[in-house]
Amino acid sequence: MTQTAQQMLIDYARERLGEKGAIVDPADVAPWLVDWRGRYRGSAAAIIAPATTAEAAAIVGRAHALGVSLVPQGGNSSMVGGSVPPADGSALILSTRRMNRIRSIDAAAGLAIAEAGVILATLHDAAGEQGMRFPLTLGAKGSATIGGLTATNAGGTQVLRWGTMRGLVAGVEAVLPDGSVHDGLAPLKKDNRGYDLNQLLIGSEGTLGVITAVTLRLVPAVAARAVAWVGLADPQAALALLRRLEAATDAIESFEIIPDDSLGLVLAHIPASRAPLNGSHPWHVLIEAVATDLGHEAPAALLERLLAPALADGMVQDAVIAANEAQAAAFWRLRDSLSEAERAAGPAAQHDISVPVADMPRFMIDAACAVEARFPGTHASGFGHLGDGNVHFHVRAPAGVDPVRWYAEQAPSITSYVNDLVIEAGGSISAEHGIGQMKLGELERLSTPARLAALRAIKQAIDPAAIMNPGKLVRLAPAGAAP
Ligand code: FAD
């Protein structure tokens, strides 16, 4: 690839898409060259922004012919540097920002077709207007796009009941690396034509093509919800409570665990935040229960009925049910602000990990003790989706360290140590954020030869010129290298 080839693609984009389709002013490009956490900084001569599938196909086809690499980008909320272009300027960004139409919402069928650049919160609102909802949400809902969520097989806070994007996507349309279009939007309940290309594209992190539109499953809108904040002694008590709730009802949508020190960071760094409970508790859980019709027991009454015995027998230390929607939103804001508060508090090595659900409480405690003993001065704890066996296990740096040096010199060995513990526990080093550039080395270090060989063979088959999102998720072995 030469600078000339990139310039030829930019010229072609300007001619084919108009001025809005080729953004070259460095001031307009700059905000899209750095990730949300500020950990990865890339370089790109332009952002190419097609507005339709046909335009995206034309751009990718021309990039393929010219040998120009492309980095698909949606809301740039990736937690693993997945949407940041390489630092050497060897790729252009292909943004889906202009492919932002909701093509249809069919409330009766429970389906929506959204283009890749539709922002999650926009889809939530549009579905709500039709008495429906898309049951996946996360802290970045104001910027994360349907294409990005699909490309990362995102999870979020309702996986407990509704699963990840893999379960919520009923069809995918995508431009493959040679510019051809895969039309898999039809919501087929049964389709046994061999390998499932839609599922391959879900979670492919932009390395197998550009997702241009997605058919999504909708569920009936919530008629009432209740949000409880519970204080308890340890993660074991939290899992016992979850099991008890699940045995009694299928109305629980979210069950998020939060250590007291993480709540403390939110209270310290996020304006207007208040602790829901009086007194101090080592651990907290946020629980949401919903009802889709008002004929059943109201969710607040349900939670009250189920939490009362847990309080009486000491399984939980204290609990409060949000008195109104504003309070419920305030509880959720505490949960959704955890990453932001931690970012404000200083450097941390972050690990989005999973182990079997039943093993997670013990893992959280044992791994935190092991890490703190091995790396004195650090503080390790996990928060998040306990019911999915997925927590964000973060190791905060000792106070007063130089962040740049700490990230360069200390964080990698902490991460390797944590990942080794995860693998020993039979878990995954990426539960929901993907691999991106952040976890590529660790994926290679810790994957079985069978997994690595299969990942590389798939990449080689679909993107042999390796123009799609170079340096993310999977690297093709250099010619002649041992697999
Ligand atoms: P981007 O960040 O732009 O891209 C992400 C990856 O997808 C990149 O590899 C990119 O190349 C690729 N990509 C983007 N669009 C396309 C496309 N159209 N076709 C092909 N590839 C594409 N994630 C969770 O799963 N659960 C959470 O609870 C969660 N909470 C978060 C909270 C905060 C505050 C933040 C900042 C992030 C959180 N995330 C979470 C991560 C993030 O929101 C997801 O990774 C999201 O799915 C990315 O969407 P995006 O549009 O921003 O994609």
Side-chain angles (χ1 to χ4, degrees), residues 53-115:
T53 302
E55 288 185 356
I59 293 299
V60 176
R62 186 57 67 99
H64 181 253
L66 292 167
V68 175
S69 296
L70 297 171
V71 177
Q73 191 181 78
N76 197 24
S77 68
S78 167
M79 288 288 208
V80 290
S83 47
V84 173
D88 62 5
S90 59
L92 302 180
I93 294 173
L94 189 149
S95 171
T96 58
R97 62 177 72 172
R98 293 175 68 224
M99 301 180 60
N100 58 3
R101 274 187 325 125
I102 296 177
R103 292 187 190 166
S104 63
I105 293 184
D106 182 342
L111 294 167
I113 299 179
E115 291 182 350

Side-chain angles (χ1 to χ4, degrees), residues 1 103 123 153 167 169 172 197 220 225 300 348 375 379 387 405 410 414 419 424 427 443 448:
M1 195 280 313
R103 292 187 190 166
L123 178 71
N153 182 30
V169 168
V172 175
L197 194 44
R225 73 165 177 168
F375 301 96
H379 181 88
R405 282 190 62 184
Q410 300 295 317
I414 293 174
N419 287 343
E424 255 170 51
L443 183 76
T448 59

Side-chain angles (χ1 to χ4, degrees), residues 79 91 98 116 139 141 149 156 163 194 199 202-203 221 229 277 296 327 347 350 364 378 388 396 441 451-452 483:
M79 288 288 208
R98 293 175 68 224
K141 67 182 175 208
L149 294 159
Q199 286 295 332
I202 300 170
W229 192 279
L277 296 171
H296 288 93
Q327 203 175 19
Q350 286 139 341
M364 289 169 78
T378 59
D388 308 333
R396 298 210 303 275
R451 179 187 289 273
L452 258 193

